[in-house]
mmCIF file of all heavy atoms in Angstrom:
data_model
loop_
_atom_site.group_PDB
_atom_site.id
_atom_site.type_symbol
_atom_site.label_atom_id
_atom_site.label_comp_id
_atom_site.label_asym_id
_atom_site.label_seq_id
_atom_site.Cartn_x
_atom_site.Cartn_y
_atom_site.Cartn_z
ATOM 1 N N ALA A 530 -12.768 28.561 29.746
ATOM 2 C CA ALA A 530 -13.594 28.711 28.586
ATOM 3 C C ALA A 530 -12.731 28.782 27.259
ATOM 4 O O ALA A 530 -13.091 28.224 26.256
ATOM 5 C CB ALA A 530 -14.514 30.025 28.727
ATOM 6 N N GLU A 531 -11.711 29.536 27.392
ATOM 7 C CA GLU A 531 -10.848 29.723 26.213
ATOM 8 C C GLU A 531 -10.159 28.484 25.965
ATOM 9 O O GLU A 531 -9.987 28.053 24.743
ATOM 10 C CB GLU A 531 -9.793 30.763 26.477
ATOM 11 C CG GLU A 531 -10.325 32.256 26.507
ATOM 12 C CD GLU A 531 -10.947 32.489 27.912
ATOM 13 O OE1 GLU A 531 -10.802 31.598 28.783
ATOM 14 O OE2 GLU A 531 -11.529 33.594 28.012
ATOM 15 N N ARG A 532 -9.752 27.658 26.869
ATOM 16 C CA ARG A 532 -9.075 26.332 26.704
ATOM 17 C C ARG A 532 -10.099 25.375 25.973
ATOM 18 O O ARG A 532 -9.643 24.668 25.073
ATOM 19 C CB ARG A 532 -8.720 25.735 28.024
ATOM 20 C CG ARG A 532 -7.337 26.250 28.507
ATOM 21 C CD ARG A 532 -6.747 25.425 29.578
ATOM 22 N NE ARG A 532 -5.357 25.784 29.914
ATOM 23 C CZ ARG A 532 -4.483 25.021 30.273
ATOM 24 N NH1 ARG A 532 -4.741 23.771 30.597
ATOM 25 N NH2 ARG A 532 -3.239 25.402 30.549
ATOM 26 N N GLU A 533 -11.324 25.406 26.333
ATOM 27 C CA GLU A 533 -12.329 24.518 25.768
ATOM 28 C C GLU A 533 -12.512 24.865 24.375
ATOM 29 O O GLU A 533 -12.635 24.013 23.431
ATOM 30 C CB GLU A 533 -13.696 24.548 26.561
ATOM 31 C CG GLU A 533 -14.679 23.728 25.850
ATOM 32 C CD GLU A 533 -15.915 23.525 26.826
ATOM 33 O OE1 GLU A 533 -15.886 23.679 27.982
ATOM 34 O OE2 GLU A 533 -17.007 23.447 26.141
ATOM 35 N N GLN A 534 -12.594 26.290 24.022
ATOM 36 C CA GLN A 534 -12.744 26.601 22.547
ATOM 37 C C GLN A 534 -11.522 26.204 21.768
ATOM 38 O O GLN A 534 -11.620 25.742 20.581
ATOM 39 C CB GLN A 534 -12.905 28.131 22.555
ATOM 40 C CG GLN A 534 -14.296 28.611 23.077
ATOM 41 C CD GLN A 534 -15.468 27.953 22.222
ATOM 42 O OE1 GLN A 534 -15.447 27.867 21.082
ATOM 43 N NE2 GLN A 534 -16.429 27.482 22.979
ATOM 44 N N TYR A 535 -10.260 26.294 22.322
ATOM 45 C CA TYR A 535 -9.069 25.981 21.705
ATOM 46 C C TYR A 535 -9.117 24.453 21.428
ATOM 47 O O TYR A 535 -8.808 24.060 20.321
ATOM 48 C CB TYR A 535 -7.904 26.319 22.549
ATOM 49 C CG TYR A 535 -6.494 26.164 21.851
ATOM 50 C CD1 TYR A 535 -6.424 26.278 20.523
ATOM 51 C CD2 TYR A 535 -5.454 25.754 22.589
ATOM 52 C CE1 TYR A 535 -5.167 26.098 19.941
ATOM 53 C CE2 TYR A 535 -4.176 25.552 22.055
ATOM 54 C CZ TYR A 535 -4.045 25.757 20.691
ATOM 55 O OH TYR A 535 -2.852 25.490 20.084
ATOM 56 N N ALA A 536 -9.536 23.638 22.429
ATOM 57 C CA ALA A 536 -9.568 22.195 22.261
ATOM 58 C C ALA A 536 -10.622 21.848 21.218
ATOM 59 O O ALA A 536 -10.394 20.948 20.455
ATOM 60 C CB ALA A 536 -9.926 21.573 23.619
ATOM 61 N N ARG A 537 -11.668 22.510 21.147
ATOM 62 C CA ARG A 537 -12.804 22.242 20.241
ATOM 63 C C ARG A 537 -12.255 22.419 18.750
ATOM 64 O O ARG A 537 -12.513 21.742 17.815
ATOM 65 C CB ARG A 537 -14.002 23.192 20.415
ATOM 66 C CG ARG A 537 -15.134 22.927 19.515
ATOM 67 C CD ARG A 537 -16.300 23.663 20.007
ATOM 68 N NE ARG A 537 -16.916 23.237 21.309
ATOM 69 C CZ ARG A 537 -17.800 22.179 21.359
ATOM 70 N NH1 ARG A 537 -18.319 21.636 20.324
ATOM 71 N NH2 ARG A 537 -18.204 21.858 22.593
ATOM 72 N N LYS A 538 -11.495 23.490 18.551
ATOM 73 C CA LYS A 538 -10.888 23.865 17.263
ATOM 74 C C LYS A 538 -9.933 22.716 16.889
ATOM 75 O O LYS A 538 -9.879 22.234 15.716
ATOM 76 C CB LYS A 538 -10.177 25.104 17.325
ATOM 77 C CG LYS A 538 -9.470 25.552 16.033
ATOM 78 C CD LYS A 538 -8.719 26.844 16.226
ATOM 79 C CE LYS A 538 -7.978 27.225 14.907
ATOM 80 N NZ LYS A 538 -7.215 28.501 15.012
ATOM 81 N N ILE A 539 -9.008 22.231 17.822
ATOM 82 C CA ILE A 539 -7.997 21.250 17.562
ATOM 83 C C ILE A 539 -8.730 19.962 17.175
ATOM 84 O O ILE A 539 -8.325 19.327 16.149
ATOM 85 C CB ILE A 539 -7.023 21.005 18.774
ATOM 86 C CG1 ILE A 539 -6.206 22.169 18.782
ATOM 87 C CG2 ILE A 539 -6.260 19.751 18.541
ATOM 88 C CD1 ILE A 539 -5.580 22.236 20.214
ATOM 89 N N LEU A 540 -9.699 19.485 18.089
ATOM 90 C CA LEU A 540 -10.345 18.233 17.765
ATOM 91 C C LEU A 540 -11.213 18.322 16.527
ATOM 92 O O LEU A 540 -11.456 17.268 15.948
ATOM 93 C CB LEU A 540 -11.155 17.949 19.019
ATOM 94 C CG LEU A 540 -10.340 17.533 20.229
ATOM 95 C CD1 LEU A 540 -11.174 17.324 21.504
ATOM 96 C CD2 LEU A 540 -9.543 16.317 20.055
ATOM 97 N N ARG A 541 -11.888 19.455 16.242
ATOM 98 C CA ARG A 541 -12.638 19.526 15.110
ATOM 99 C C ARG A 541 -11.825 19.229 13.828
ATOM 100 O O ARG A 541 -12.176 18.497 12.934
ATOM 101 C CB ARG A 541 -13.330 20.836 14.903
ATOM 102 C CG ARG A 541 -14.263 20.969 13.741
ATOM 103 C CD ARG A 541 -14.707 22.380 13.517
ATOM 104 N NE ARG A 541 -15.385 22.957 14.717
ATOM 105 C CZ ARG A 541 -16.644 22.696 15.031
ATOM 106 N NH1 ARG A 541 -17.419 21.896 14.234
ATOM 107 N NH2 ARG A 541 -17.240 23.302 16.050
ATOM 108 N N ARG A 542 -10.610 19.830 13.787
ATOM 109 C CA ARG A 542 -9.772 19.689 12.720
ATOM 110 C C ARG A 542 -9.236 18.242 12.552
ATOM 111 O O ARG A 542 -9.318 17.702 11.401
ATOM 112 C CB ARG A 542 -8.522 20.585 12.765
ATOM 113 C CG ARG A 542 -7.335 20.395 11.781
ATOM 114 C CD ARG A 542 -6.381 21.415 12.011
ATOM 115 N NE ARG A 542 -5.769 21.369 13.330
ATOM 116 C CZ ARG A 542 -4.774 20.623 13.673
ATOM 117 N NH1 ARG A 542 -4.231 19.716 12.850
ATOM 118 N NH2 ARG A 542 -4.300 20.670 14.924
#
Side-chain angles (χ1 to χ4, degrees):
E531 290 79 5
R532 282 197 167 207
E533 181 173 329
Q534 288 302 314
Y535 186 35
R537 184 173 292 272
K538 178 182 177 182
I539 293 168
L540 293 174
R541 184 189 303 278
R542 172 176 57 85

